[in-house]
Amino acid sequence: MLKLENVSKVYRVGAFGGKALFAVNNVSFEVKQGEVVSLIGESGSGKSTIGKMILRLLDVTAGKITYNGTDISSLEGNALKDYYRQVQGVFQDPFSSYNPIFKADRIFKVLHEEFFPEVPATEWQKRVEHALSSVGLNPAHVLNKYPHQLSGGQLQRFLIARALLLDIQFLVADEIISMLDASTRIDVLNLLADLKSRGLSILFITHDLSLAYYISERAVILYKGYMVEQGAVEKIFHTPLHPYTRMLMDSVPRMDRKWEKGISLLERQVEEFRNGCLYFERCPVAEKICAVYRPPLFDVEPDHAVACVHYQSPSDVPKPVALPHQSVHPTHSA
Amino acid sequence: MALSVENLTVYYQTLRGDVHALEHATFQITDGEIMGLAGESGCGKTTLGHSLIVLFPPMKYVAGRVLLDGEELPIWDSEKMNTYRFRKVSLIPQYAMNAMNPIRKIGKMTQELLESRGVDYKEVIPELKRRLDLVALPHDVLNMYPIELSGGMKQRMVMVISSLLNPSLLIADEITSALDVATQKAVAEMLVEFRDRQFVNNLIVITHDISILYQIADTILIMYAGVLAEKAPTKSIIESPRHPYTRLLISSLPEVGVRYAEKRLQGIPGNPPLLLNPPSGCRFRDRCPLAYERCLEEPPFIEVEKNHFVACWKEFEPHA
């Protein structure tokens, strides 16, 4: 239903905007009805930029984003409003999403005035209460309070409830879990899972792979604005192929396995290899060709594509390349 | 015992009365121990960390003693504590990203900081550079402004500054939460490295992320609503937790390899009590699936096994 086609976002940086910084470079993927797609990457990988472009908070420099076949950049006036009825976002820091001067439930009032002026106030109140209970909040406890009187988890669920009041079809969830406590985290995740089973599509932006695996069907791994690996979540998580994906997987703090020693922090270099693989600087298995050749995304098996020279030669079973200082091990202990 | 905390009680003064943020905290840390301090937000973990070094209003010292290497810390006296701060006890603050002076070059700022403690900057420079190498920062950072560094770099710079005078106790408050997984891992491993090289004697790592603690901590202390719930070696906390809260907390963590369709994880229903008027008895009582009438009384924090401390009546009366 939502489709990105060769989307790029370029910022002009440096004095007089002389340099181009590709925050997002030639990214294409699709989110289908009732599907959760995770967008995974480090800070600066462009994942939030993609979320913001989908919400039209940022313009697309090149390529296009289509929603049910319509290019979203062409939407204006009522059509745009209609788009926002169906597509909404929830962001990382719930505290900064509210105006601290007003009560937190003002967001519902604004929504009422903007989108549903024809609905009578009593009916609207019922809908608000229903939406709040469906995100696991007790309306009596949370309504009529100021943002500082509510916890982060409550505010975050408020925002999800707000999105639910619209006829929402697509939710951009940008790091919505990372500010929450462990005990409420899982409740919000389960809530997303429930919404999904009701047909909602979700773009789940995160740097935590365990959360992505818990909830999503498909994953897109981004590095410096490029897609380096994408596909079905089981395939990526059981056989991560790109060295970057594997580094991410190995860095996740797990409760069943201690970190392996020896994968030290490789410093990010400012210098950009204009034509080479962007991960060249940090890649433990880089070849000479990687400095001058940027591999495209390449299907290694159905529903699993990688942009790495090591996997370009066709083989029946994709096999991860051996990394130095570490044995190749299955990352899934099932 | 490198650090010994006895019956430490700290309140927050508010217009509506005292918030009982930390009550009857009693625990010990042995030499070279990395202790993780975990719990939900508002459980008092930052209060505990800060009360060992920066007990400022609205925090109010109520009772208790803190002994570091056998010497009592005058935590209630902010002036006297100055002798100990930075030299004996040091802190890596939460959001270390914003901890550095934005209008000073980092080297200059470090110099001013050291001179305020009567330390000669020039003598420290060689050691400072060695430590920058250790955390993989170029020496150039000393001539840069904080804004020129990325989040992870700032975090590492603050770590170096905080531990520069080899404090006996270093408190790291939520230092990994704002970082992405790769940087998180590097920073956490550097903390262990600091201990291994004896830059610091003890570490208290405050975080809500227990899986990070599993990777680096020797022992874990779990707090709930201002009181200590459980302290034990890391392995015991993760594999055989005894306090019902610890058990629920650990079972609610998503792991790599778990999907909601196969195994739906459960959160902990309910909310922690408000600490303005904390309930009497066990503070976890309302959310505890095992609560019984004994829980109306406050459970003591007792060693039930070697180095395994728990505050739960069920553990003291197994046949109840």
Side-chain angles (χ1 to χ4, degrees):
Chain A
M1 67 194 293
L2 190 105
K3 205 168 174 183
L4 278 78
E5 287 168 63
N6 305 7
V7 171
S8 297
K9 175 76 196 173
V10 184
Y11 288 108
R12 313 302 312 185
V13 292
F16 310 111
K19 277 189 199 159
L21 177 82
F22 279 83
V24 175
N25 205 330
N26 207 9
V27 167
S28 314
F29 63 90
E30 193 182 355
V31 185
K32 297 200 183 78
Q33 176 89 41
E35 197 178 50
V36 181
V37 173
S38 285
L39 212 51
I40 302 161
E42 295 175 313
S43 26
S45 58
K47 51 195 197 305
S48 290
T49 309
I50 293 179
K52 284 181 184 154
M53 286 195 291
I54 291 172
L55 292 169
R56 285 232 352 206
L57 300 173
L58 291 173
D59 289 331
V60 175
T61 311
K64 66 175 178 180
I65 301 175
T66 55
Y67 178 72
N68 290 338
T70 337
D71 185 347
I72 62 160
S73 64
S74 67
L75 297 174
E76 266 173 39
N78 277 337
L80 181 60
K81 204 163 183 175
D82 214 45
Y83 179 67
Y84 281 135
R85 265 178 218 271
Q86 299 178 32
V87 180
Q88 282 288 324
V90 178
F91 295 94
Q92 177 171 17
D93 180 4
F95 298 97
S96 58
S97 299
Y98 292 87
N99 187 337
I101 299 174
F102 296 102
K103 287 180 176 162
D105 40 39
R106 179 170 181 262
I107 58 167
F108 299 125
K109 208 155 93 198
V110 171
L111 203 66
H112 184 201
E113 287 162 7
E114 261 313 298
F115 286 92
F116 302 97
E118 73 289 351
V119 177
T122 45
E123 162 73 14
W124 181 253
Q125 192 60 27
K126 262 186 221 148
R127 284 199 205 175
V128 168
E129 283 174 15
H130 179 75
L132 285 175
S133 5
S134 68
V135 296
L137 290 174
N138 183 342
H141 289 174
V142 293
L143 285 176
N144 234 348
K145 293 229 166 116
Y146 286 95
H148 67 264
Q149 295 172 305
L150 298 164
S151 72
Q154 285 172 326
L155 290 174
Q156 199 65 284
R157 279 182 267 185
F158 246 64
L159 291 171
I160 300 173
R162 174 189 170 278
L164 293 181
L165 280 168
L166 297 157
D167 316 313
I168 179 174
Q169 301 294 317
F170 189 92
L171 183 70
V172 176
D174 189 351
E175 295 271 18
I176 63 168
I177 308 289
S178 57
M179 296 277 288
L180 305 180
D181 273 313
S183 63
T184 40
R185 224 173 230 212
I186 204 69
D187 291 333
V188 174
L189 267 189
N190 285 340
L191 170 65
L192 288 185
D194 291 340
L195 295 175
K196 185 194 87 115
S197 55
R198 282 198 252 153
L200 184 72
S201 309
I202 300 170
L203 183 68
F204 188 74
I205 300 174
T206 184
H207 67 256
D208 190 330
L209 288 90
S210 51
L211 299 178
Y213 185 72
Y214 182 69
I215 190 157
S216 57
E217 272 96 44
R218 300 174 52 76
V220 175
I221 316 276
L222 288 171
Y223 181 69
K224 288 193 179 171
Y226 276 85
M227 290 167 73
V228 296
E229 189 160 355
Q230 76 145 333
V233 84
E234 295 93 349
K235 289 181 180 164
I236 292 191
F237 282 69
H238 295 182
T239 37
L241 293 177
H242 199 282
Y244 173 64
T245 316
R246 289 167 61 190
M247 187 277 298
L248 285 180
M249 286 291 285
D250 284 334
S251 304
V252 174
R254 300 172 62 154
M255 305 277 273
D256 55 347
R257 203 179 69 219
K258 298 248 180 178
W259 278 329
E260 276 176 51
K261 292 274 175 198
I263 312 164
S264 58
L265 185 89
L266 293 149
E267 207 36 68
R268 271 161 242 186
Q269 301 280 321
V270 195
E271 190 187 348
E272 196 187 335
F273 286 78
R274 282 249 160 254
N275 307 308
C277 174
L278 284 169
Y279 195 58
F280 177 72
E281 279 293 323
R282 297 167 68 188
C283 186
V285 288
E287 308 263 337
K288 270 186 188 151
I289 187 173
C290 300
V292 290
Y293 171 69
R294 183 173 296 165
L297 267 183
F298 196 85
D299 281 321
V300 285
E301 57 183 323
D303 215 5
H304 190 177
V306 185
C308 179
V309 284
H310 289 287
Y311 306 105
Q312 282 205 341
S313 49
S315 68
D316 294 337
V317 188
K319 213 174 122 218
V321 271
L323 302 183
H325 315 301
Q326 92 193 89
S327 53
V328 177
H329 48 77
T331 36
H332 180 59
S333 51
Chain B
M1 287 300 150
L3 177 77
S4 166
V5 175
E6 290 165 26
N7 195 30
L8 184 64
T9 303
V10 173
Y11 292 168
Y12 281 93
Q13 289 171 304
T14 68
L15 290 174
R16 287 184 293 162
D18 288 342
V19 174
H20 299 218
L22 179 66
E23 287 200 295
H24 317 306
T26 302
F27 63 93
Q28 281 89 33
I29 301 181
T30 50
D31 262 333
E33 181 175 325
I34 297 184
M35 186 185 84
L37 182 51
E40 290 172 81
S41 37
C43 73
K45 55 188 194 295
T46 299
T47 309
L48 175 54
H50 282 194
S51 61
L52 301 178
I53 176 165
V54 282
L55 210 154
F56 294 143
M59 284 167 83
K60 185 175 82 174
Y61 170 84
V62 178
R65 293 185 350 129
V66 177
L67 296 164
L68 182 64
D69 300 324
E71 196 181 351
E72 181 159 6
L73 292 180
I75 54 164
W76 55 85
D77 188 332
S78 192
E79 286 284 305
K80 277 193 193 156
M81 267 306 282
N82 268 337
T83 340
Y84 298 92
R85 289 192 189 114
F86 202 17
R87 287 173 181 279
K88 295 283 282 173
V89 194
S90 194
L91 174 77
I92 309 174
Q94 198 165 4
Y95 309 117
M97 315 269 162
N98 309 324
M100 286 188 281
N101 188 342
I103 55 164
R104 281 275 189 280
K105 284 183 179 163
I106 291 168
K108 180 82 181 152
M109 190 199 74
T110 314
Q111 182 182 352
E112 289 173 352
L113 195 64
L114 287 167
E115 281 165 1
S116 77
R117 287 283 176 273
V119 180
D120 189 6
Y121 178 58
K122 288 212 179 66
E123 278 174 27
V124 181
I125 287 179
E127 182 61 26
L128 177 60
K129 288 188 172 162
R130 265 202 295 284
R131 297 203 181 172
L132 288 178
D133 291 337
L134 184 70
V135 299
L137 284 173
H139 296 170
D140 281 351
V141 291
L142 296 176
N143 294 318
M144 289 181 175
Y145 288 97
I147 196 172
E148 296 175 72
L149 272 58
S150 73
M153 288 167 86
K154 277 187 237 179
Q155 189 75 69
R156 281 177 275 150
M157 189 64 227
V158 173
M159 277 169 63
V160 168
I161 296 175
S162 291
S163 60
L164 201 53
L165 296 183
N166 293 352
S168 172
L169 174 69
L170 180 65
I171 301 160
D173 191 358
E174 293 279 12
I175 61 165
T176 55
S177 4
L179 306 174
D180 57 54
V181 281
T183 329
Q184 201 175 50
K185 181 181 171 199
V187 164
E189 282 178 342
M190 280 164 195
L191 278 181
V192 180
E193 189 71 26
F194 275 22
R195 193 270 316 259
D196 292 347
R197 293 186 179 232
Q198 300 188 330
F199 294 168
V200 297
N201 191 3
N202 292 291
L203 265 163
I204 296 183
V205 182
I206 303 174
T207 178
H208 63 263
D209 196 340
I210 296 177
S211 46
I212 288 271
L213 294 181
Y214 177 65
Q215 304 293 335
I216 62 167
D218 301 317
T219 58
I220 296 180
L221 173 62
I222 306 278
M223 288 187 69
Y224 181 77
V227 290
L228 308 188
E230 185 163 6
K231 180 177 190 272
T234 303
K235 204 167 147 43
S236 318
I237 285 274
I238 305 292
E239 286 167 14
S240 49
R242 289 184 166 229
H243 197 285
Y245 175 64
T246 318
R247 273 184 235 161
L248 287 170
L249 192 63
I250 287 169
S251 68
S252 72
L253 298 175
E255 285 174 39
V256 177
V258 174
R259 300 196 67 182
Y260 75 93
E262 295 151 10
K263 181 183 166 193
R264 198 184 163 98
L265 297 168
Q266 289 291 322
I268 307 176
N271 288 307
L274 294 177
L275 297 179
L276 202 56
N277 273 313
S280 60
C282 175
R283 292 189 181 175
F284 189 56
R285 196 177 64 219
D286 290 344
R287 295 168 85 185
C288 183
L290 306 173
Y292 66 124
E293 55 295 352
R294 192 72 206 263
C295 302
L296 289 167
E297 233 178 287
E298 186 175 332
F301 192 59
I302 290 180
E303 189 165 16
V304 288
E305 218 177 277
K306 194 172 174 343
N307 295 329
H308 200 142
F309 296 82
V310 185
C312 180
W313 288 116
K314 281 275 177 198
E315 287 301 320
F316 315 144
E317 301 175 354
H319 307 295

